[in-house]
Amino acid sequence: MGSVSAAPTALRAATNAEMPLPMITEPAVSFVEIETLRAREFVPAAKEALGSMLSEQAQGKLIRPMFNWAGRNSLFPLHWGLACCAIEFAAAFGARWDAERFGVVPRSSPRQCDLLIVNGTVTWKVAHKLIALYEQMPEPKWVIAMGNCATGGGPFRTAYSVVPGVDKLVPVDVYIAGCPPRPEALLDGILRLEQLIKERKE
Amino acid sequence: MEAEEVGARLRERFPDVVVEPFPGTAGRIRFPAARLIELLTEVRDGLGFDHLGQVGAIDWVEERELFYTVWSDRAKQYLFLSTRIPAGEPHLESLTPVFPSANWHEREACELVGITFDHHPDLRPLLTPTGYQFHPLLRSFRLHEPEELEVKVRDV
Ligand code: SF4
């Protein structure tokens, strides 16, 4: 997505040209640097650092399982509500279901997230924004398609503006059926994703 | 304000418009499309209907109907206006010089019912994606299989 990484610079330039505000300063880390940083996988970096201390076998037994353990216990979904399923998403984080006890804490910036829960109807108009958000999330990242709409278009499958399934846009790890799925179903989906992460190999 | 009063105040300058009573409002005006700007300017400045709430369009197969809803803050009343244009040549003057709030409503009518507004400042699609080739609220529009739609949108 070359156009996505180009967008903030273009936006900043346009704003500066029209009204030069004193508050707008250059960020300490440039956009390109962030893009390079986020692409770096943790596991190879750890292996590089610990390579001299641990045997090959110990590395295999320690680093990846530890990384998976940490990752699956602190899934940070993006706080992004799309349609009616977002209400159930919100309920799942409320007092009754309390998804935070699984370490799932919604964050407001895609750069702090590793889980994208697509909770609603995706239209073609919003499709490229969804891709942009997904691209901005650091690796490794996962996607849950919540509800029939995100899974396959749902009741709007033949409508003129709806994406028939979000897997046309981004790779999906877990599908949750229902219109809307109850918060229990969302929790079940998250636990299944945790299982997937637990089994994750190189 | 009643429909008779509206009719009386418009009769001299606009002999070609029809004012009918409409329950709960100041009336309903049918007017020829060519007099749009003139009439709406008069309605705003002369009659005091200072807020444009809605611009919509309907496809009646041979004709397309445009309707405007204006609100008077002083009289606390609505006034409905509507005009018809032939479906073969669906274009009309934009109302944005008179009511700037017509901008988005006209963009919506343009993409959904396929009406072109002349001299509109920015007639990009508002709701449908860029490059979308259909006018979904036309009666001739049929529901597409999703795969078909996807290809057409992506092709652009
Ligand atoms: S699946 Fe049902 S509840 Fe969920 S966004 Fe679609 S229509 Fe709404």
Side-chain angles (χ1 to χ4, degrees):
Chain A
M1 290 284 296
S3 57
V4 172
S5 31
T9 331
L11 196 66
R12 200 162 52 233
T15 323
N16 279 347
E18 278 160 27
M19 39 169 160
L21 294 175
M23 293 94 77
I24 298 178
T25 49
E26 282 300 311
V29 187
S30 82
F31 195 73
V32 180
E33 277 172 87
I34 296 174
E35 293 287 294
T36 332
L37 274 179
R38 78 168 172 85
R40 238 171 109 198
E41 262 275 14
F42 172 79
V43 170
K47 281 201 171 154
E48 206 176 290
L50 299 175
S52 53
M53 287 185 262
L54 295 173
S55 69
E56 193 78 5
Q57 209 183 2
Q59 279 182 21
K61 283 217 167 120
L62 262 178
I63 295 174
R64 170 59 72 183
M66 262 179 69
F67 180 59
N68 285 353
W69 168 81
R72 74 171 184 271
N73 286 303
S74 63
L75 283 170
F76 286 5
L78 181 61
H79 201 162
W80 194 42
L82 271 174
C84 9
C85 275
I87 305 297
E88 301 297 305
F89 174 87
F93 292 90
R96 181 175 289 240
W97 286 279
D98 194 15
E100 286 187 20
R101 66 203 147 112
F102 301 113
V104 186
V105 187
R107 307 296 308 199
S108 303
S109 160
R111 298 196 187 277
Q112 301 170 345
C113 295
D114 51 4
L115 172 59
L116 179 66
I117 300 182
V118 186
N119 47 18
T121 323
V122 182
T123 58
W124 284 112
K125 188 85 174 177
V126 89
H128 75 275
K129 278 135 194 147
L130 187 144
I131 296 173
L133 287 172
Y134 177 77
E135 292 280 326
Q136 286 178 11
M137 284 163 48
E139 296 277 358
K141 51 194 168 186
W142 294 277
V143 178
I144 294 182
M146 178 184 180
N148 293 354
C149 281
T151 305
F156 315 111
R157 188 175 166 81
T158 49
Y160 58 83
S161 59
V162 173
V163 181
V166 74
D167 48 8
K168 300 262 188 299
L169 308 172
V170 292
V172 177
D173 298 285
V174 175
Y175 296 87
I176 305 174
C179 179
R182 285 186 58 87
E184 292 94 319
L186 177 59
L187 293 185
D188 184 47
I190 290 171
L191 292 179
R192 268 161 208 260
L193 180 64
E194 290 187 2
Q195 199 60 37
L196 281 183
I197 299 171
K198 191 176 181 181
E199 289 156 13
R200 192 162 171 258
K201 300 272 162 24
E202 293 308 305
Chain B
M1 201 182 286
E2 295 297 322
E4 290 85 56
E5 194 190 336
V6 173
R9 285 171 70 172
L10 290 178
R11 195 166 300 132
E12 198 179 313
R13 266 189 74 192
F14 301 94
D16 44 358
V17 308
V18 185
V19 186
E20 305 161 350
F22 196 92
T25 72
R28 174 176 168 158
I29 303 182
R30 294 170 192 279
F31 62 96
R35 312 221 51 186
L36 171 77
I37 298 293
E38 256 179 291
L39 178 65
L40 266 289
T41 312
E42 176 61 24
V43 161
R44 183 190 66 184
D45 300 337
L47 301 182
F49 287 89
D50 44 11
H51 174 74
L52 177 80
Q54 184 186 25
V55 180
I58 310 172
D59 176 27
W60 293 115
V61 187
E62 314 87 52
E63 296 182 310
R64 303 213 179 135
E65 180 173 355
L66 266 291
F67 56 89
Y68 301 85
T69 306
V70 286
W71 165 259
S72 165
D73 226 14
R74 253 158 290 159
K76 305 276 181 242
Q77 263 183 326
Y78 284 110
L79 178 69
F80 297 150
L81 302 104
S82 79
T83 185
R84 293 201 175 207
I85 53 176
E89 210 186 327
H91 70 92
L92 189 77
E93 199 59 32
S94 167
L95 196 57
T96 41
V98 189
F99 288 106
S101 66
N103 190 326
W104 281 23
H105 294 282
E106 289 181 351
R107 279 169 70 184
E108 189 183 346
C110 173
E111 64 188 336
L112 295 182
V113 195
I115 289 162
T116 313
F117 291 91
D118 305 331
H119 307 114
H120 189 284
D122 175 22
L123 213 49
R124 279 176 302 141
L126 179 66
L127 303 171
T128 53
T130 317
Y132 194 75
Q133 299 160 2
F134 311 104
H135 300 301
L137 292 195
L138 288 185
R139 282 171 207 272
S140 55
F141 180 79
R142 71 183 171 81
L143 289 181
H144 291 258
E145 279 308 306
E147 286 69 27
E148 202 183 337
L149 187 69
E150 183 196 351
V151 170
K152 286 197 178 150
V153 174
R154 286 241 173 121
D155 270 355
V156 182

